[in-house]
Amino acid sequence: MAESKTSFESARRWVVDHKLRTVGCLWLSGITGSIAYNWSRPTMKTSVRLIHARLHAQALTLAALVGAAAVEYFDHKNSPTEDDTYAKFTPSNSSHKN
């Protein structure tokens, strides 16, 4: 049980660190799966198959973006130290010259 928690935590940490890559991979897998599903239906025209694949992938992408926003929100809400979150983006000395 402890092993599954650590693998879940490592997966969650990877998603937090690579949000756009996760959304892009979900979009690619969504459009690939939708094209594969629609291609098995011989009564549809090719243009309709591609339109349906794009719409399915777009819905999956929106769901992934909402999920990424929820992960970001809960990550910041439950973070013990908010001061260190953006420390790597700020200069270390307070008196920098322009």
Side-chain angles (χ1 to χ4, degrees):
M1 187 75 180
E3 182 65 33
S4 65
K5 183 178 179 183
T6 58
S7 64
F8 176 76
E9 276 299 314
S10 66
R12 189 190 70 77
R13 175 54 43 200
W14 189 88
V15 168
V16 167
D17 292 341
H18 302 96
K19 288 177 207 65
L20 292 178
R21 187 175 294 172
T22 303
V23 171
C25 288
L26 279 172
W27 175 83
L28 184 63
S29 65
I31 201 160
T32 303
S34 183
I35 286 174
Y37 171 73
N38 284 327
W39 224 261
S40 68
R41 301 169 70 188
T43 59
M44 296 174 65
K45 294 168 74 175
T46 304
S47 61
V48 175
R49 290 176 184 167
L50 292 175
I51 290 170
H52 283 169
R54 184 189 62 83
L55 289 174
H56 294 148
Q58 189 173 8
L60 184 63
T61 303
L62 286 174
L65 286 172
V66 168
V71 166
E72 183 75 17
Y73 173 75
F74 287 115
D75 192 43
H76 284 295
K77 185 178 179 182
N78 297 331
S79 177
T81 59
E82 291 187 24
D83 296 334
D84 295 336
T85 305
Y86 299 105
K88 62 183 176 183
F89 299 115
T90 57
S92 58
N93 57 357
S94 61
S95 62
H96 64 281
K97 299 187 172 83
N98 292 332

